């Protein structure tokens, strides 16, 4: 057990070093040749980079040691259940909760609210993304259980995306497309992919054929849900009667 943990620590440390050190080196080169920032600001940036590297190391180590085995164990337990609809319901709930805790999704929601000056509420976007992922995680588990080909879901899904892009407002289309990327962040991606692989193993399906491709379904889910949210907001806005100015009484002569 301890040797495996040491191997995991070394592997994660190497991957974090490969990711962070080149960025730090590029910053120092630009600092010398182009930026010429004050020494205190350079120190703050380097300290922040070091803290981010440590945080990334701990995060990836936790995923590798605990989160991936946990997701696979849950997937195997779900795949062993007899009730198909119970499997779909539990998988959808897990998809909602994992996406709710995904840092990238929360950052997107906060930035959308900030950039739109509150016109698009961040919590509304967050809930739309979580609901979309939950629905498609359930559909993905149904695909694994029934052996449905991946293209039977992806092709109609992206056809719906094209229709929503054509009909939707530019603001919500842009947010929806970015939401498809952030929903497959490291937290949701690692857990839900392990969940799919565990479920495929439990039902006796080929994990490569039925387990993988799950992330593609998760990526298309927020585009559809946020696009539908945009159409709903536009419809509700169109139903509201225009505000009429209050009547003014004539001033006495």
């Amino acid at each position: 057990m301890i040797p495996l943990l040491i191997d995991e620590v070394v592997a994660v440390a190497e991957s974090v070093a490969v990711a962070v050190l080149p960025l730090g080196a590029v910053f120092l080169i630009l600092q010398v040749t182009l930026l010429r920032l004050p020494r205190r600001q350079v120190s703050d940036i380097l300290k922040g980079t070091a803290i981010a590297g440590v945080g990334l190391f701990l995060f990836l180590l936790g995923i590798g040691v605990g989160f991936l085995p946990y997701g696979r164990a849950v997937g195997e337990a779900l795949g062993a259940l007899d009730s198909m609809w119970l499997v779909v319901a539990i998988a959808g709930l897990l998809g909602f909760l994992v996406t709710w805790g995904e840092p990238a999704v929360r950052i997107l929601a906060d930035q959308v609210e900030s950039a739109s000056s509150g016109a698009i509420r961040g919590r509304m976007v967050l809930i739309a993304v979580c609901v979309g992922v939950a629905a498609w995680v359930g559909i993905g588990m149904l695909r694994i259980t029934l052996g449905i080909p991946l293209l039977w879901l992806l092709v109609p899904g992206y056809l719906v995306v094209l229709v929503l892009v054509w009909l939707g407002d530019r603001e919500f289309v842009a947010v929806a497309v970015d939401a498809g990327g952030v929903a497959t962040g490291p937290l949701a991606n690692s857990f839900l992919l392990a969940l799919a692989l565990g479920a495929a193993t439990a039902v006796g399906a080929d994990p490569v054929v039925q387990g993988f491709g799950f992330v593609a379904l998760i990526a298309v889910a927020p585009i559809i849900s946020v696009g539908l949210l945009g159409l709903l907001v536009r419809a509700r806005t169109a139903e509201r009667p225009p505000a009429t100015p209050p009547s003014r009484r004539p001033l006495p002569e």
Side-chain angles (χ1 to χ4, degrees):
M1 182 66 183
I2 294 179
L4 293 177
L5 181 59
I6 294 176
D7 292 340
E8 186 71 23
V9 169
V10 172
V12 172
E14 290 177 351
S15 64
V16 171
V18 170
V20 175
L21 291 181
L23 293 177
V26 170
F27 167 71
L28 292 176
I29 294 173
L30 292 178
Q31 166 64 16
V32 173
T33 59
L34 182 63
L35 297 176
R36 308 294 175 86
L37 298 175
R39 183 175 299 178
R40 180 177 180 82
Q41 190 171 357
V42 173
S43 176
D44 291 340
I45 292 174
L46 292 178
K47 288 178 183 177
T49 303
I51 293 172
V54 173
L56 183 60
F57 167 76
L58 294 175
F59 178 76
L60 293 178
L61 182 63
I63 285 179
V65 173
F67 218 56
L68 288 176
Y70 167 62
R72 188 148 190 159
V74 172
E76 292 176 356
L78 288 180
L81 294 177
D82 295 331
S83 175
M84 182 186 306
W85 301 112
L86 184 59
V87 172
V88 172
I90 295 176
L93 177 61
L94 291 173
F96 184 95
L97 294 176
V98 172
T99 309
W100 184 268
E102 175 61 56
V105 176
R106 290 184 171 272
I107 291 173
L108 174 72
D110 292 340
Q111 290 181 345
V112 167
E113 184 168 353
S114 175
S116 64
S117 300
I120 304 176
R121 303 299 298 271
R123 190 174 184 85
M124 181 173 62
V125 174
L126 176 62
I127 293 175
V129 173
C130 292
V131 170
V133 172
W136 279 78
V137 167
I139 294 173
M141 291 296 288
L142 193 64
R143 163 187 168 257
I144 293 173
T145 304
L146 300 179
I148 300 173
L150 182 62
L151 289 180
W152 288 17
L153 298 176
L154 281 183
V155 172
Y158 277 102
L159 289 177
V160 173
V161 167
L162 292 176
V163 173
L164 291 175
V165 169
W166 180 264
L167 297 178
D169 295 332
R170 291 183 301 172
E171 295 84 358
F172 275 95
V173 168
V175 174
V177 173
D178 278 348
V182 299
T184 54
L187 187 66
N189 191 6
S190 57
F191 178 80
L192 294 177
L193 183 57
L195 183 77
L197 291 173
T201 303
V203 299
D206 186 355
V208 176
V209 175
Q210 297 296 338
F212 289 98
F214 206 69
V215 177
L217 300 179
I218 301 170
V220 74
I223 307 178
I224 296 176
S225 59
V226 177
L228 292 174
L229 175 64
L231 296 180
L232 179 61
V233 169
R234 186 174 65 181
R236 292 186 62 180
T237 304
E239 291 176 358
R240 295 177 182 174
T244 56
S247 58
R248 297 180 179 179
R249 297 181 181 178
L251 297 176
E253 296 182 359

